[in-house]
């Protein structure tokens, strides 16, 4: 932990020093809470490249209101305490106008109250536990509530007339979002779709042997298993289901929207069906983003297929840019408090912004945008359905 603190503080100090001259020229500063280390690294380690792409594109076109965007970065390692430290540093030292991040729901729980007191907008790229923006005027998420995502998945399954006569839940107990999905979201959505919940199983994220849980699911024999877990739990569950000959359809939300997941499951997980707010082959915009992203990440020796979080942070930069443009933000340090509030106000009323992921609006701090329902077929993700916001 001490090593992580030192790394974050050192990184921030270095960037602040480097950006001192830029701030003197009133560049538009955005703070960025990264999760380049820690438990979310497999999902988050390429997010920085997507942020840099968006900033470079905007600045190459003249910036915003004649000013360039400057990003101050801090690796929180997914730690809520480090996220709070970063938020205060962005607000009090860096003169940030708004903040990209934090990554997780656990971090959001600690930083949104601080951001409210500081009058500084934050926009998470991954937090999707239900209800976390409630009561906060400066807290935003360019994600979709897991309840809405799983609702879209079940809606697609119903429309496609796939088996859904009975269900069960499986979830990780030591992850905020996963537990919420398993204990609240899945039961509520099953009830909405008149799917009897025949039972639930739980596990720890570090557990590799899920044979007892799968044996119980085999005995229950549900048509659908609603899964609350990060990608690693989905991999372990899928492999054990295949080993025990259980062919039930597993469904989930954005927590397992990993583009590499079909490969990681080694032939298991056929019919795994999830909702995500990004699908690389959706249209020309997503394809162009994917190609450019792949070129950059390949050169860096990283994953070449963008995930939902990569797309989200890319669009967050553009959403902030649009809000700053509409607010007439100048970057003048004497006006920083007023300009932070003006950005918040513009985001709150933003409707149908043509982002790369699709048309984005905000309702009560949460993004409203399309959900792509995808499933594993032949060892790769394929599009089952596209669900547009109501």
């Amino acid at each position: 932990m001490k090593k992580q603190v030192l790394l974050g503080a050192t990184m921030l100090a270095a960037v602040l020093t480097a950006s001192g001259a830029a701030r003197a020229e009133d560049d538009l500063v955005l703070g960025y809470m990264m999760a380049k280390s820690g438990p979310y690294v497999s999902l988050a380690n390429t997010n920085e490249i997507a942020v840099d792409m968006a900033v470079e594109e905007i600045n190459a076109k003249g910036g915003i209101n004649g000013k360039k965007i400057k990003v101050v970065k801090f690796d929180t390692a997914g730690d809520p305490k480090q996220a709070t430290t970063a938020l205060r540093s962005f607000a009090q030292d860096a003169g940030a106008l708004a903040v990209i991040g934090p990554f997780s729901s656990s971090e959001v729980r600690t930083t949104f109250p601080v951001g409210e007191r500081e009058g500084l907008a934050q926009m998470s790229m991954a937090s999707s536990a239900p209800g976390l923006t409630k009561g906060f005027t400066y807290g935003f998420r360019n994600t979709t509530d897991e309840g809405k995502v799983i609702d879209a998945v079940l809606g697609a399954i119903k429309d496609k007339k796939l088996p859904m006569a009975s269900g069960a839940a499986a979830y990780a107990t030591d992850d905020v979002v996963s537990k919420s999905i398993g204990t609240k979201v899945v039961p509520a959505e099953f009830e909405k779709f008149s799917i009897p919940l025949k039972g639930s199983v739980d596990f720890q994220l570090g557990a590799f042997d899920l044979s007892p849980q799968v044996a119980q699911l085999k005995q229950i024999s549900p048509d659908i298993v609603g899964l609350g877990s990060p990608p690693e739990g989905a991999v372990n569950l899928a492999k054990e289901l295949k080993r025990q000959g259980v062919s039930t359809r597993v469904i989930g939300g954005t927590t397992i929207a990993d583009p590499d997941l079909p490969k990681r499951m080694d032939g298991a997980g056929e019919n795994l069906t999830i909702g995500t707010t990004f699908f690389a082959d959706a249209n020309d915009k997503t394809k162009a983003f994917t190609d450019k992203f792949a070129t950059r990440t390949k050169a860096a020796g990283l994953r070449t297929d963008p995930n939902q979080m990569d797309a989200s942070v890319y669009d967050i930069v553009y959403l902030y840019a649009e809000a700053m443009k509409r607010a007439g933000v100048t970057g003048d340090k004497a006006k920083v408090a007023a300009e932070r509030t003006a950005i918040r106000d513009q985001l709150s009323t933003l409707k149908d912004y043509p982002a790369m992921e699709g048309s984005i609006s905000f309702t009560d701090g949460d993004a409203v945008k399309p959900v792509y329902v995808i499933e594993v077929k032949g060892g790769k993700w394929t599009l089952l359905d596209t669900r547009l916001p109501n």
Side-chain angles (χ1 to χ4, degrees):
M1 181 62 67
K2 290 181 179 179
K3 184 176 181 181
Q4 290 178 352
V5 173
L6 181 60
L7 175 62
T10 301
M11 180 183 297
L12 182 59
V15 177
L16 289 177
T17 300
S19 64
R23 292 203 315 276
E25 298 170 2
D26 296 334
D27 276 3
L28 308 180
V29 179
L30 295 177
Y32 173 28
M33 294 189 218
M34 305 182 293
K36 290 187 69 175
S37 56
Y40 307 108
V41 66
S42 67
L43 296 172
N45 65 345
T46 52
N47 292 177
E48 183 182 13
I49 288 176
V51 168
D52 291 344
M53 283 170 51
V55 171
E56 290 168 12
E57 290 168 5
I58 293 168
N59 286 343
K61 295 177 182 177
I64 303 299
N65 305 325
K67 302 293 176 68
K68 301 290 187 181
I69 296 176
K70 181 77 177 182
V71 178
V72 177
K73 302 173 181 178
F74 191 110
D75 181 13
T76 68
D79 182 349
K81 292 182 180 178
Q82 285 303 293
T84 301
T85 298
L87 193 283
R88 289 197 173 107
S89 296
F90 293 150
Q92 300 170 11
D93 303 321
L97 292 165
V99 175
I100 305 163
F103 188 88
S104 70
S105 293
S106 298
E107 292 172 285
V108 160
R109 288 181 187 276
T110 65
T111 64
F112 273 19
V114 178
E116 198 73 14
R117 292 192 293 270
E118 295 286 354
L120 182 61
Q122 303 164 70
M123 192 179 300
S124 178
M125 69 290 285
S127 165
S128 56
L132 294 188
T133 59
K134 187 176 181 179
F136 298 109
T137 64
Y138 287 88
F140 297 86
R141 300 189 296 181
N142 187 25
T143 57
T144 300
D145 185 302
E146 292 294 348
K148 295 178 181 178
V149 173
I150 292 178
D151 185 88
V153 172
L154 291 173
I157 290 173
K158 181 179 180 180
D159 288 352
K160 301 296 181 181
K161 303 186 185 305
L162 299 172
M164 55 187 308
S166 63
Y171 61 94
T173 57
D174 50 346
D175 176 69
V176 170
V177 182
S178 300
K179 187 174 182 180
S180 176
I181 291 171
T183 60
K184 297 178 181 178
V185 175
V186 168
E189 288 299 320
F190 279 6
E191 182 177 0
K192 178 179 177 180
F193 282 85
S194 301
I195 302 171
L197 181 65
K198 298 178 69 175
S200 298
V201 299
D202 59 63
F203 54 90
Q204 296 286 306
L205 285 180
F208 291 99
D209 181 12
L210 298 184
S211 55
Q213 289 87 346
V214 171
Q216 187 175 343
L217 291 174
K218 186 175 183 178
Q219 185 176 12
I220 294 172
S221 189
D223 288 326
I224 298 174
V225 174
L227 175 62
S229 173
E232 290 71 22
V235 171
N236 293 336
L237 182 66
K239 288 182 177 180
E240 185 60 29
L241 286 168
K242 182 180 180 181
R243 191 187 73 81
Q244 293 194 31
V246 181
S247 58
T248 184
R249 181 180 296 271
V250 177
I251 68 165
T254 64
T255 62
I256 49 178
D258 181 350
D260 288 337
L261 202 63
K263 299 175 186 176
R264 294 173 60 191
M265 291 190 296
D266 295 328
E270 287 290 298
N271 297 325
L272 170 66
T273 307
I274 68 167
T276 176
T277 56
F278 174 74
F279 183 62
D281 292 329
N283 52 53
D284 289 342
K285 273 189 177 181
T286 58
K287 291 175 182 177
F289 167 78
T290 298
D291 290 343
K292 186 174 182 180
F293 177 88
T295 299
R296 297 280 289 263
T297 53
K298 183 177 181 179
L302 298 171
R303 166 177 46 80
T304 57
D305 294 325
N307 64 21
Q308 174 181 293
M309 293 78 180
D310 299 315
S312 177
V313 290
Y314 177 87
D315 276 343
I316 286 173
V317 177
Y318 274 94
L319 289 164
Y320 276 143
E322 181 67 16
M324 290 190 289
K325 178 182 177 182
R326 294 186 183 190
V329 168
T330 65
D332 184 342
K333 292 186 290 295
K335 301 177 180 178
V336 65
E339 293 193 340
R340 287 171 174 171
T341 299
I343 291 169
R344 185 274 311 269
D345 292 344
Q346 291 298 328
L347 287 173
S348 298
T349 57
L350 194 63
K351 298 294 181 184
D352 300 321
Y353 177 74
M356 186 270 297
E357 297 170 276
S359 178
I360 294 179
S361 303
F362 283 97
T363 300
D364 297 327
D366 280 341
V368 179
K369 54 186 177 179
V371 173
Y372 302 99
V373 180
I374 58 178
E375 63 179 352
V376 178
K377 287 288 186 183
K380 65 179 183 179
W381 289 118
T382 60
L383 185 64
L384 178 66
D385 198 9
T386 300
R387 313 290 290 190
L388 299 177
N390 295 326

